[in-house]
Amino acid sequence: QVQLVESGGGLVQAGGSLRLSCAASGRTFVSFAMGWFRQAPGKERELVASISWSGGSAYYADSVKGRFTISRDNAKNTVYLQMNDLNPEDTGVYYCAADQNRVAIISPDYWGRGTRVTVSS
């Protein structure tokens, strides 16, 4: 079992920044690729960014490229999402996910409970 706990969400004005963190416990952190999903009101959950077990490769949705950066610290069992130049379309609940695939997020095996991000215009 893996437990994922997100933090860092909140209310921010358009153009501002937030950094989300996801702390993992349980199984060996490097056994997993890690990702961040978000679910906006009335929309389906979507993959925003993911990172391989080593941090050597990352994926970003087109909507966040150049603004968001995913990173991980395997010594701290933590994955981060730095979000810059936020806009109201980034509003939603952000979920951390872990996939035993190790390289990419294909079908997450574990989910966090989410942290809410609200961007005001």
Side-chain angles (χ1 to χ4, degrees), residues 5-12 17-23 36 78-83 86 92 94 114-118:
V5 180
E6 303 97 334
S7 61
L11 173 65
V12 63
S17 298
L18 283 175
R19 188 174 85 152
L20 306 183
S21 299
C22 172
W36 288 95
T78 302
V79 62
Y80 305 96
L81 186 67
Q82 177 66 44
M83 305 187 295
L86 287 159
Y94 283 70
T115 185
R116 185 173 299 276
V117 172
T118 303

Side-chain angles (χ1 to χ4, degrees), residues 12-102:
V12 63
Q13 289 188 332
S17 298
L18 283 175
R19 188 174 85 152
L20 306 183
S21 299
C22 172
S25 61
R27 289 178 56 186
T28 306
F29 187 59
V30 295
S31 298
F32 299 93
M34 300 297 297
W36 288 95
F37 288 73
R38 72 182 176 196
Q39 188 163 19
K43 296 187 177 180
E44 293 187 355
R45 193 174 298 189
E46 62 172 344
L47 178 62
V48 173
S50 66
I51 189 166
S52 64
W53 70 274
S54 65
S57 63
Y59 160 85
Y60 296 94
D62 287 343
S63 58
V64 306
K65 280 181 182 176
R67 301 188 299 121
F68 290 12
T69 303
I70 189 170
S71 62
R72 65 190 292 163
D73 185 336
N74 288 340
K76 295 183 178 180
N77 290 353
T78 302
V79 62
Y80 305 96
L81 186 67
Q82 177 66 44
M83 305 187 295
N84 298 328
D85 192 22
L86 287 159
N87 60 62
E89 289 69 41
D90 296 315
T91 293
V93 179
Y94 283 70
Y95 298 90
C96 178
D99 194 321
Q100 296 180 94
N101 177 276
R102 297 192 79 197

